[in-house]
Amino acid sequence: MKRPVLSDLAQPLRHGLALLLLCMSLAVSAQPDPPSRVAYLGAQQGTMSFSPAGDDSWYDLVPNRPLTSGDRLWNDRGARSEFQTGPTAVRLDEQTLMELSELGDQTLRLTLRQGIAQLRVRDETAGERIEIDTANLALVIQSPGQYRIDADAAAGTTQVAVDAGSARVYGENGETQSLAAGQQLAVAGRRLEAAAGAPLAQGDFERWVAERDRIEDQSVSARYLSREVAGYQQLDSYGDWQNDATYGAVWYPRNVDADWAPYREGGWIDVAPWGWTWIDSAPWGFAPSHYGRWTRLGPRWAWVPGPRIARPVYAPALVGFLGGAQATLPLGGGRRGIGWFPL
């Protein structure tokens, strides 16, 4: 049987569907809003493991699965990875264990259990808090720049290097120290006691970080999107931008079948605090599934991000659901269920 073709997403919903969506919106309006930001794993090489919030087990990370508060990442020997959230790119070296302790609209707090992490903060941090904790200290970033943190769990030490920007380090009993561009600090214990340690040297990880910076700086998609659209970098390698008279800048995926349509290849995962979240199978599928809208322009589907917004809001799925506990859908044969449709 031939699969049905999705209707044009730009056409208005019928009255009944619109009324159902309104009722669903009213039902959840009293609940607190989940964060408008999310973290996205944009690069990975080697063996990497993932432990979701509230779970002590470790798994392979499903591509395009969003990351949020409580999730943990582990890079095995020879592995490296990068995730993006808001204006910050976080790069992890091999044998590094990182926890996303808190990810909110104004707060990013990471806990580096062991290993090496490098952060690139692009935008001003006024009104926001970006903090990296280790067993020895808390590093609070105060301006855009490049930062490296090395947590040696065996030696019980932490080294911090500020390549660009400024930060403040906090110890256990109110000790604090400011760091400016070009400065490094090595501490043992939790009271910022100085520790012996050679200056952090440049190596393979730093060269990999520099290459990630180059790719980010040369992104074509960043001309059309805020860099806070998680997953925007993937669009460069898998599609092309064009200007449309009605919608403005639109993006077309490359190398898809003639009858391809969005939301066909993928599945659903329950991800707290958002709930059911669409996980697209395409390597470029994160941004177009969680921001903007799809529409059909002539014979092809195009992704329409809409006006450039500095702080776009992440959506777990740009779809509507039909049915539920009070009104399931008849499926035939006496069966009833829940359906969904893309917006």
Side-chain angles (χ1 to χ4, degrees), residues 67-314:
L67 300 171
T68 188
S69 300
D71 291 346
R72 292 177 295 167
L73 301 174
W74 163 253
N75 284 354
D76 211 336
R77 186 180 298 276
R80 296 191 178 104
S81 60
E82 172 191 275
F83 65 87
Q84 169 205 355
T85 178
T88 303
V90 183
R91 289 75 176 254
L92 307 180
D93 199 4
E94 62 176 348
Q95 296 186 290
T96 294
L97 175 59
M98 171 74 80
E99 179 178 349
L100 282 73
S101 301
E102 183 179 358
L103 174 54
D105 293 339
Q106 304 296 329
T107 303
L108 172 62
R109 186 165 63 86
L110 306 172
T111 301
L112 181 62
R113 304 294 183 185
Q114 73 172 65
I116 300 174
Q118 192 270 357
L119 280 75
R120 184 186 192 186
V121 181
R122 274 190 169 274
D123 299 335
E124 289 293 337
T125 58
E128 300 184 25
R129 184 177 180 90
I130 301 175
E131 176 181 329
I132 306 93
D133 300 333
T134 72
N136 305 103
L137 53 80
L139 175 72
V140 177
I141 292 174
Q142 297 181 314
S143 65
Q146 301 261 11
Y147 305 86
R148 173 174 159 168
I149 307 95
D150 185 340
D152 189 333
T157 61
T158 297
Q159 286 184 271
V160 177
V162 179
D163 295 328
S166 60
R168 183 171 290 273
V169 177
Y170 294 87
E172 186 175 51
N173 295 319
E175 297 88 355
T176 182
Q177 182 171 338
S178 294
L179 293 176
Q183 292 186 318
Q184 297 189 16
L185 175 69
V187 302
R190 300 173 62 90
R191 303 186 64 175
L192 303 188
E193 299 99 341
L200 296 176
Q202 299 293 305
D204 290 341
F205 177 62
E206 286 68 34
R207 286 187 284 273
W208 182 78
V209 166
E211 176 62 13
R212 295 303 305 167
D213 284 344
R214 185 192 65 79
I215 293 173
E216 187 177 284
D217 292 340
Q218 295 181 0
S219 172
V220 173
S221 297
R223 303 173 190 173
Y224 305 97
L225 303 171
S226 165
R227 291 185 183 271
E228 292 213 20
V229 173
Y232 76 90
Q233 300 98 326
Q234 307 301 324
L235 303 177
D236 294 335
S237 300
Y238 295 98
D240 302 287
W241 288 93
Q242 294 183 19
N243 285 313
D244 179 78
T246 301
Y247 296 105
V250 300
W251 181 84
Y252 291 97
R254 296 191 209 113
N255 302 321
V256 294
D257 295 336
D259 65 345
W260 178 88
Y263 293 104
R264 278 186 177 171
E265 303 295 332
W268 295 94
I269 296 179
D270 190 5
V271 180
W274 296 280
W276 289 108
T277 300
W278 175 257
I279 309 297
D280 202 89
S281 296
W284 47 262
F286 193 91
S289 297
H290 303 296
Y291 306 88
R293 293 291 190 275
W294 285 94
T295 192
R296 198 175 181 92
L297 298 179
R300 303 176 63 189
W301 286 95
W303 179 58
V304 184
R308 185 182 181 120
I309 301 173
R311 288 288 301 270
V313 176
Y314 165 83

